[in-house]
Coordinates of all heavy atoms in Angstrom, one line a residue:
T268 N -9.7 -4.6 0.3 CA -8.5 -4.0 1.0 C -8.9 -3.6 2.4 O -8.2 -3.9 3.4 CB -7.9 -2.8 0.3 OG1 -7.5 -3.2 -1.0 CG2 -6.7 -2.3 1.0
E269 N -10.1 -3.0 2.6 CA -10.5 -2.5 3.9 C -11.7 -3.2 4.4 O -12.5 -2.7 5.2 CB -10.8 -1.0 3.7 CG -9.7 -0.1 3.3 CD -8.7 0.2 4.4 OE1 -8.8 -0.4 5.5 OE2 -7.8 1.1 4.2
G270 N -11.9 -4.4 3.9 CA -13.2 -5.2 4.2 C -13.5 -5.3 5.6 O -14.6 -5.1 6.1
E271 N -12.4 -5.6 6.4 CA -12.6 -5.8 7.9 C -13.1 -4.6 8.6 O -13.9 -4.6 9.5 CB -11.4 -6.4 8.6 CG -10.2 -5.5 8.6 CD -9.3 -5.6 7.4 OE1 -9.7 -6.2 6.4 OE2 -8.2 -5.2 7.5
R272 N -12.6 -3.4 8.1 CA -13.0 -2.2 8.7 C -14.4 -1.8 8.3 O -15.2 -1.2 9.1 CB -12.0 -1.0 8.2 CG -10.7 -1.1 8.9 CD -9.8 0.1 8.5 NE -8.6 0.2 9.3 CZ -7.5 -0.4 9.2 NH1 -7.4 -1.3 8.1 NH2 -6.5 -0.3 10.0
Y273 N -14.8 -2.2 7.1 CA -16.2 -2.0 6.7 C -17.2 -2.8 7.6 O -18.2 -2.4 8.0 CB -16.4 -2.2 5.2 CG -15.9 -1.2 4.3 CD1 -14.8 -1.5 3.5 CD2 -16.4 0.1 4.3 CE1 -14.3 -0.5 2.6 CE2 -15.9 1.1 3.5 CZ -14.8 0.8 2.6 OH -14.3 1.7 1.8
V274 N -16.8 -4.1 7.8 CA -17.6 -4.9 8.6 C -17.6 -4.4 10.0 O -18.7 -4.4 10.7 CB -17.0 -6.4 8.6 CG1 -17.8 -7.3 9.6 CG2 -17.1 -7.0 7.2
M275 N -16.5 -4.0 10.6 CA -16.5 -3.4 12.0 C -17.3 -2.2 12.0 O -18.0 -2.0 13.0 CB -15.1 -3.1 12.4 CG -14.3 -4.4 12.8 SD -12.7 -3.9 13.5 CE -11.7 -3.7 12.1
T276 N -17.3 -1.3 11.0 CA -17.9 -0.1 11.0 C -19.4 -0.2 10.8 O -20.2 0.4 11.6 CB -17.4 0.9 10.0 OG1 -16.0 1.1 10.3 CG2 -18.1 2.2 9.9
F277 N -19.9 -1.0 9.9 CA -21.3 -1.1 9.5 C -22.1 -2.1 10.3 O -23.3 -2.0 10.4 CB -21.4 -1.2 8.0 CG -21.1 0.0 7.2 CD1 -19.8 0.2 6.8 CD2 -22.0 0.9 7.0 CE1 -19.5 1.3 6.0 CE2 -21.7 2.1 6.2 CZ -20.5 2.3 5.8
L278 N -21.4 -3.2 10.7 CA -22.1 -4.3 11.4 C -21.9 -4.4 12.9 O -22.5 -5.2 13.5 CB -21.7 -5.6 10.7 CG -22.0 -5.8 9.2 CD1 -21.5 -7.1 8.7 CD2 -23.4 -5.5 8.9
N279 N -21.0 -3.5 13.4 CA -20.8 -3.4 14.8 C -20.5 -4.8 15.5 O -21.0 -5.1 16.5 CB -22.0 -2.8 15.5 CG -22.3 -1.4 15.0 OD1 -21.4 -0.6 14.9 ND2 -23.6 -1.0 14.8
V280 N -19.6 -5.5 14.8 CA -19.3 -6.8 15.4 C -18.3 -6.7 16.5 O -18.1 -7.7 17.3 CB -18.7 -7.8 14.3 CG1 -19.8 -8.1 13.3 CG2 -17.5 -7.2 13.6
L281 N -17.6 -5.6 16.6 CA -16.6 -5.4 17.7 C -16.9 -4.0 18.4 O -17.3 -3.1 17.7 CB -15.2 -5.4 17.2 CG -14.7 -6.7 16.6 CD1 -13.2 -6.5 16.1 CD2 -14.7 -7.9 17.6
S282 N -16.6 -3.9 19.6 CA -16.7 -2.6 20.3 C -15.6 -1.7 19.8 O -14.6 -2.1 19.2 CB -16.6 -2.8 21.8 OG -15.3 -3.2 22.2
F283 N -15.7 -0.4 20.1 CA -14.6 0.6 19.7 C -13.3 0.2 20.3 O -12.3 0.3 19.7 CB -15.0 2.0 20.1 CG -16.1 2.6 19.2 CD1 -17.3 3.0 19.8 CD2 -16.0 2.7 17.9 CE1 -18.4 3.5 19.0 CE2 -17.0 3.2 17.1 CZ -18.2 3.6 17.7
G284 N -13.3 -0.3 21.6 CA -12.1 -0.7 22.2 C -11.4 -1.9 21.6 O -10.2 -1.9 21.3
D285 N -12.3 -2.9 21.2 CA -11.7 -4.1 20.5 C -11.2 -3.7 19.1 O -10.2 -4.2 18.6 CB -12.8 -5.1 20.4 CG -13.1 -5.8 21.7 OD1 -12.3 -5.7 22.6 OD2 -14.2 -6.4 21.9
Q286 N -11.9 -2.7 18.5 CA -11.5 -2.2 17.2 C -10.1 -1.6 17.3 O -9.2 -1.7 16.4 CB -12.5 -1.2 16.6 CG -13.8 -1.9 16.2 CD -14.7 -0.8 15.6 OE1 -14.3 0.2 15.1 NE2 -16.0 -1.1 15.7
G287 N -9.9 -0.9 18.4 CA -8.6 -0.2 18.6 C -7.5 -1.2 18.8 O -6.4 -1.1 18.2
V288 N -7.7 -2.3 19.6 CA -6.7 -3.3 19.7 C -6.4 -4.0 18.4 O -5.3 -4.3 18.1 CB -7.2 -4.3 20.8 CG1 -6.2 -5.5 20.9 CG2 -7.3 -3.7 22.2
Y289 N -7.5 -4.4 17.7 CA -7.3 -5.0 16.4 C -6.5 -4.2 15.4 O -5.6 -4.7 14.7 CB -8.7 -5.4 15.8 CG -8.6 -6.0 14.4 CD1 -8.4 -7.3 14.2 CD2 -8.6 -5.2 13.2 CE1 -8.2 -7.9 13.0 CE2 -8.5 -5.7 12.0 CZ -8.3 -7.1 11.8 OH -8.1 -7.6 10.6
D290 N -6.8 -2.9 15.4 CA -6.1 -2.0 14.5 C -4.6 -1.9 14.9 O -3.7 -1.9 14.0 CB -6.7 -0.6 14.5 CG -6.1 0.3 13.5 OD1 -6.4 0.1 12.3 OD2 -5.3 1.2 13.9
I291 N -4.3 -1.8 16.2 CA -2.9 -1.8 16.6 C -2.2 -3.0 16.1 O -1.1 -3.0 15.6 CB -2.8 -1.6 18.1 CG1 -3.3 -0.2 18.5 CG2 -1.4 -1.7 18.6 CD1 -3.6 0.0 20.0
V292 N -2.8 -4.2 16.4 CA -2.2 -5.4 16.0 C -2.0 -5.5 14.5 O -1.0 -6.0 13.9 CB -3.0 -6.6 16.5 CG1 -2.5 -8.0 15.9 CG2 -2.9 -6.7 18.0
N293 N -3.0 -5.0 13.8 CA -3.0 -5.0 12.3 C -1.9 -4.2 11.8 O -1.1 -4.5 10.8 CB -4.3 -4.5 11.8 CG -4.4 -4.4 10.3 OD1 -4.3 -5.4 9.6 ND2 -4.5 -3.2 9.7
N294 N -1.6 -3.0 12.4 CA -0.6 -2.1 12.0 C 0.8 -2.7 12.3 O 1.7 -2.6 11.5 CB -0.7 -0.8 12.7 CG -1.8 0.1 12.1 OD1 -2.1 0.0 11.0 ND2 -2.3 1.0 13.0
L295 N 0.9 -3.4 13.4 CA 2.2 -4.1 13.7 C 2.4 -5.2 12.8 O 3.5 -5.4 12.2 CB 2.1 -4.6 15.2 CG 2.4 -3.6 16.3 CD1 2.1 -4.3 17.6 CD2 3.8 -3.0 16.2
G296 N 1.4 -6.0 12.5 CA 1.6 -7.1 11.6 C 1.9 -6.8 10.2 O 2.6 -7.5 9.5
S297 N 1.3 -5.7 9.7 CA 1.5 -5.3 8.3 C 2.7 -4.3 8.1 O 2.9 -3.8 7.0 CB 0.2 -4.6 7.8 OG 0.0 -3.4 8.5
M298 N 3.4 -4.0 9.2 CA 4.5 -3.0 9.1 C 5.5 -3.3 8.0 O 5.8 -2.5 7.1 CB 5.2 -2.8 10.4 CG 6.2 -1.7 10.4 SD 7.0 -1.5 12.0 CE 5.7 -1.0 13.0
V299 N 6.0 -4.5 8.1 CA 7.0 -4.9 7.0 C 6.4 -5.0 5.7 O 6.9 -4.6 4.7 CB 7.7 -6.3 7.4 CG1 8.6 -6.8 6.3 CG2 8.4 -6.1 8.7
A300 N 5.1 -5.5 5.6 CA 4.4 -5.6 4.3 C 4.3 -4.3 3.7 O 4.5 -4.1 2.5 CB 3.1 -6.3 4.6
R301 N 4.0 -3.3 4.5 CA 3.7 -2.0 3.9 C 5.0 -1.2 3.5 O 5.0 -0.5 2.5 CB 2.8 -1.1 4.9 CG 1.4 -1.7 5.0 CD 0.6 -0.8 5.9 NE -0.8 -1.4 6.1 CZ -1.7 -0.8 6.8 NH1 -1.5 0.3 7.4 NH2 -2.9 -1.3 6.9
F302 N 6.0 -1.4 4.4 CA 7.2 -0.6 4.0 C 8.1 -1.3 3.1 O 9.1 -0.7 2.6 CB 7.9 0.0 5.2 CG 8.7 -0.9 6.1 CD1 9.7 -1.7 5.6 CD2 8.4 -0.9 7.4 CE1 10.4 -2.5 6.5 CE2 9.1 -1.8 8.3 CZ 10.1 -2.6 7.8
I303 N 7.9 -2.6 2.7 CA 8.7 -3.3 1.7 C 7.8 -3.6 0.5 O 8.1 -3.3 -0.6 CB 9.3 -4.5 2.3 CG1 10.4 -4.1 3.4 CG2 10.0 -5.3 1.2 CD1 11.1 -5.3 4.0
F304 N 6.7 -4.4 0.8 CA 6.0 -4.9 -0.4 C 5.2 -3.8 -1.1 O 5.2 -3.9 -2.4 CB 5.0 -6.0 0.2 CG 5.7 -7.1 0.9 CD1 5.1 -7.7 2.0 CD2 6.9 -7.6 0.4 CE1 5.8 -8.7 2.7 CE2 7.6 -8.6 1.1 CZ 7.0 -9.2 2.2
L305 N 4.5 -2.9 -0.4 CA 3.7 -1.9 -1.1 C 4.5 -1.0 -2.0 O 4.2 -0.8 -3.2 CB 2.9 -1.1 -0.1 CG 1.9 -0.1 -0.7 CD1 0.9 -0.8 -1.6 CD2 1.2 0.7 0.4
P306 N 5.7 -0.5 -1.5 CA 6.5 0.4 -2.5 C 7.0 -0.4 -3.7 O 7.1 0.1 -4.8 CB 7.7 0.8 -1.6 CG 7.2 0.7 -0.2 CD 6.2 -0.4 -0.2
I307 N 7.4 -1.7 -3.5 CA 7.8 -2.5 -4.6 C 6.6 -2.7 -5.6 O 6.8 -2.5 -6.8 CB 8.3 -3.9 -4.1 CG1 9.6 -3.7 -3.4 CG2 8.4 -4.9 -5.3 CD1 10.2 -5.0 -2.8
E308 N 5.4 -2.9 -5.1 CA 4.3 -3.1 -6.0 C 4.0 -1.8 -6.8 O 3.8 -1.8 -8.0 CB 3.1 -3.5 -5.1 CG 1.8 -3.6 -6.0 CD 0.5 -3.8 -5.1 OE1 0.7 -4.0 -3.9 OE2 -0.6 -3.7 -5.6
E309 N 4.0 -0.7 -6.1 CA 3.7 0.6 -6.8 C 4.8 0.9 -7.8 O 4.4 1.4 -8.9 CB 3.6 1.7 -5.7 CG 2.4 1.6 -4.8 CD 2.4 2.8 -3.8 OE1 3.5 3.4 -3.6 OE2 1.3 3.0 -3.2
S310 N 6.0 0.7 -7.5 CA 7.1 1.1 -8.4 C 7.2 0.2 -9.6 O 7.4 0.7 -10.7 CB 8.5 1.1 -7.6 OG 8.4 2.0 -6.5
F311 N 7.1 -1.1 -9.4 CA 7.2 -2.0 -10.5 C 6.0 -2.2 -11.3 O 6.0 -2.7 -12.4 CB 7.7 -3.4 -10.0 CG 9.2 -3.4 -9.7 CD1 9.7 -3.1 -8.4 CD2 10.1 -3.5 -10.7 CE1 11.0 -3.1 -8.2 CE2 11.5 -3.5 -10.5 CZ 11.9 -3.3 -9.2
Y312 N 4.8 -1.7 -10.8 CA 3.7 -1.5 -11.7 C 4.0 -0.6 -12.8 O 3.6 -0.8 -14.0 CB 2.4 -1.1 -10.9 CG 1.3 -0.7 -11.8 CD1 0.5 -1.7 -12.4 CD2 1.0 0.6 -12.1 CE1 -0.6 -1.4 -13.2 CE2 0.0 1.0 -13.0 CZ -0.8 0.0 -13.5 OH -1.8 0.3 -14.4
I313 N 4.6 0.5 -12.4 CA 5.0 1.5 -13.4 C 6.0 0.9 -14.4 O 5.9 1.1 -15.7 CB 5.7 2.7 -12.8 CG1 4.7 3.4 -11.8 CG2 6.2 3.7 -13.8 CD1 5.3 4.5 -11.0
F314 N 6.9 0.1 -13.9 CA 7.9 -0.6 -14.8 C 7.2 -1.5 -15.8 O 7.4 -1.4 -17.0 CB 8.9 -1.4 -14.0 CG 9.7 -2.4 -14.8 CD1 10.6 -2.0 -15.7 CD2 9.4 -3.7 -14.7 CE1 11.4 -2.9 -16.4 CE2 10.1 -4.7 -15.4 CZ 11.1 -4.3 -16.3
F315 N 6.3 -2.4 -15.3 CA 5.6 -3.3 -16.2 C 4.7 -2.6 -17.2 O 4.6 -3.0 -18.3 CB 4.8 -4.3 -15.4 CG 5.6 -5.3 -14.6 CD1 5.4 -5.5 -13.2 CD2 6.6 -6.1 -15.2 CE1 6.2 -6.4 -12.5 CE2 7.4 -7.0 -14.5 CZ 7.2 -7.2 -13.2
A316 N 4.0 -1.5 -16.7 CA 3.1 -0.8 -17.6 C 3.8 -0.1 -18.7 O 3.3 0.1 -19.8 CB 2.3 0.2 -16.7
K317 N 5.1 0.3 -18.5 CA 5.9 1.0 -19.5 C 6.5 0.0 -20.4 O 6.7 0.3 -21.6 CB 6.9 1.9 -18.9 CG 6.3 3.2 -18.2 CD 7.4 4.1 -17.6 CE 6.8 5.4 -17.1 NZ 6.3 6.3 -18.2
V318 N 7.0 -1.1 -19.9 CA 7.7 -2.1 -20.7 C 6.8 -2.9 -21.6 O 7.1 -3.2 -22.8 CB 8.6 -2.9 -19.8 CG1 9.2 -4.1 -20.6 CG2 9.7 -2.1 -19.3
L319 N 5.7 -3.4 -21.0 CA 4.7 -4.2 -21.8 C 3.7 -3.4 -22.5 O 3.3 -2.3 -22.0 CB 4.1 -5.2 -20.8 CG 5.0 -6.2 -20.0 CD1 4.3 -7.0 -19.0 CD2 5.8 -7.1 -21.0
E320 N 3.2 -3.9 -23.5 CA 2.1 -3.3 -24.3 C 0.8 -3.9 -23.8 O 0.6 -5.1 -24.0 CB 2.3 -3.4 -25.8 CG 3.5 -2.7 -26.3 CD 3.7 -2.8 -27.8 OE1 2.7 -2.5 -28.5 OE2 4.8 -3.1 -28.2
R321 N -0.1 -3.1 -23.2 CA -1.3 -3.6 -22.6 C -2.2 -4.4 -23.7 O -2.5 -3.9 -24.8 CB -2.1 -2.5 -22.0 CG -3.4 -2.9 -21.3 CD -4.1 -1.7 -20.8 NE -3.3 -1.0 -19.7 CZ -3.3 -1.4 -18.5 NH1 -4.0 -2.5 -18.1 NH2 -2.6 -0.8 -17.5
G322 N -2.6 -5.6 -23.3 CA -3.6 -6.3 -24.1 C -3.0 -7.1 -25.3 O -3.7 -7.7 -26.0
R323 N -1.6 -7.1 -25.4 CA -1.0 -7.8 -26.5 C -0.3 -9.0 -26.0 O 0.3 -9.0 -24.9 CB 0.0 -6.9 -27.3 CG -0.7 -5.7 -27.9 CD 0.3 -4.9 -28.7 NE 0.8 -5.6 -29.9 CZ 1.7 -5.2 -30.7 NH1 2.2 -3.9 -30.6 NH2 2.1 -5.9 -31.7
D324 N -0.3 -10.1 -26.8 CA 0.4 -11.3 -26.3 C 1.9 -11.2 -26.4 O 2.4 -10.3 -26.9 CB -0.1 -12.6 -27.0 CG 0.1 -12.5 -28.5 OD1 1.2 -11.9 -28.9 OD2 -0.7 -12.9 -29.3
V325 N 2.6 -12.2 -25.8 CA 4.0 -12.2 -25.7 C 4.7 -12.1 -27.1 O 5.6 -11.3 -27.3 CB 4.5 -13.4 -24.9 CG1 6.0 -13.5 -25.0 CG2 4.1 -13.3 -23.5
K326 N 4.2 -12.9 -28.0 CA 4.9 -13.0 -29.3 C 4.8 -11.7 -30.1 O 5.7 -11.5 -31.0 CB 4.3 -14.1 -30.1 CG 4.6 -15.5 -29.6 CD 4.0 -16.6 -30.4 CE 4.4 -18.0 -29.9 NZ 3.9 -19.1 -30.7
S327 N 3.8 -10.9 -29.9 CA 3.6 -9.6 -30.7 C 4.3 -8.4 -30.0 O 4.1 -7.3 -30.5 CB 2.2 -9.3 -30.9 OG 1.5 -9.2 -29.6
Q328 N 5.1 -8.7 -29.0 CA 5.8 -7.6 -28.3 C 7.3 -7.7 -28.5 O 7.8 -8.8 -29.0 CB 5.5 -7.5 -26.8 CG 4.0 -7.4 -26.6 CD 3.8 -7.1 -25.1 OE1 4.3 -6.2 -24.5 NE2 2.9 -7.9 -24.5
K329 N 8.1 -6.7 -28.2 CA 9.6 -6.7 -28.3 C 10.1 -7.8 -27.3 O 9.8 -7.8 -26.2 CB 10.2 -5.4 -28.0 CG 9.9 -4.3 -29.0 CD 10.6 -3.0 -28.5 CE 10.3 -1.9 -29.5 NZ 11.0 -0.6 -29.1

Side-chain angles (χ1 to χ4, degrees):
T268 303
E269 301 281 10
E271 68 271 16
R272 286 183 168 86
Y273 286 114
V274 173
M275 282 188 276
T276 298
F277 287 91
L278 299 180
N279 298 320
V280 293
L281 299 177
S282 66
F283 288 120
D285 290 339
Q286 290 179 29
V288 172
Y289 176 84
D290 185 75
I291 292 168
V292 172
N293 178 64
N294 285 334
L295 282 174
S297 64
M298 186 179 292
V299 175
R301 291 183 180 181
F302 71 58
I303 293 181
F304 302 142
L305 184 59
I307 288 175
E308 177 187 350
E309 290 179 345
S310 302
F311 282 93
Y312 170 78
I313 298 173
F314 164 73
F315 290 129
K317 286 181 175 291
V318 169
L319 301 174
E320 297 183 49
R321 182 180 294 279
R323 298 185 65 180
D324 59 37
V325 170
K326 292 184 177 180
S327 61
Q328 301 190 53
K329 293 181 180 179

